[in-house]
Amino acid sequence: MLHSYLIDEMSSPTHGVPKMLSYPITLTPDSNGTFLVGFPDFPEANSVGDDEQEALINAVDALETALEIYFDERRPIPAPSKPMPGQHVVSLPALETAKVLLWNEMSARQVRKADLARMLNVHMPQIDRLFDLKHSSKIEFVEQAAKALGKSLVVSLV
């Protein structure tokens, strides 16, 4: 599995390696034979599937939609809660994980998108695309943005 995370530039990349952002979900059978999906960490994220497999696939879209809402509302993204044994989780891909971590770092430092654009000497549409989860940003640009915030992007294969 591929992991990505941000570290302070002066930190050791092997110390305290966080896991991929994997959010636990609830799967509840409905009276009509479908499965309802909920996210304890995102009350606004809900989905449904005709069967368990489809519900798990649709859960990814629900999570991405919730993340986009958080980005639009300029809210920090909550860290995943610890799943209970046997509980299903939805994991973000490495690029999306890097974008979420970058977003949270900006939120913690109260850096606006316009500030980041100035720090990187780029136009606002480039920053908007950086935080668009459906846009395949270049990982080098995410790395450059992290560096502007005093962080390093670390990717590991485990």
Side-chain angles (χ1 to χ4, degrees):
M1 177 170 276
L2 191 64
H3 297 273
S4 61
Y5 54 98
L6 298 180
I7 60 168
D8 287 314
E9 289 200 310
M10 304 309 262
S11 297
S12 166
T14 58
H15 181 267
V17 176
K19 293 184 166 80
M20 196 74 131
L21 293 180
S22 297
Y23 290 92
I25 62 169
T26 58
L27 276 177
T28 308
D30 200 6
S31 59
N32 63 1
T34 61
F35 284 84
L36 304 175
V37 178
F39 286 81
D41 300 312
F42 296 95
E44 52 278 276
N46 295 288
S47 188
V48 66
D50 288 334
D51 55 33
E52 192 172 309
Q53 178 83 14
E54 184 179 288
L56 292 171
I57 291 168
N58 293 343
V60 175
D61 288 335
L63 177 58
E64 289 174 348
T65 300
L67 293 174
E68 289 171 357
I69 291 169
Y70 278 66
F71 286 160
D72 289 344
E73 294 178 353
R74 293 171 173 74
R75 294 165 50 193
I77 308 297
S81 57
K82 184 175 177 160
M84 294 184 287
Q87 186 175 15
H88 290 285
V89 296
V90 172
S91 298
L92 290 175
L95 180 59
E96 290 180 14
T97 295
K99 289 180 176 191
V100 166
L101 295 173
L102 182 63
W103 179 262
N104 280 349
E105 185 63 27
M106 286 176 54
S107 293
R109 293 175 182 237
Q110 298 181 338
V111 173
R112 298 171 305 145
K113 290 195 299 185
D115 298 330
L116 185 61
R118 278 191 291 281
M119 293 165 83
L120 296 172
N121 196 28
V122 298
H123 297 285
M124 275 301 295
Q126 290 173 275
I127 301 301
D128 289 336
R129 285 191 299 270
L130 178 63
F131 294 108
D132 178 352
L133 296 178
K134 296 188 185 336
H135 184 266
S136 293
S137 302
K138 290 187 175 184
I139 197 72
E140 295 87 356
F141 190 53
V142 178
E143 184 177 28
Q144 182 182 2
K147 190 170 186 117
L149 296 174
K151 297 288 185 174
S152 294
L153 177 65
V154 178
V155 179
S156 64
L157 187 63
V158 289

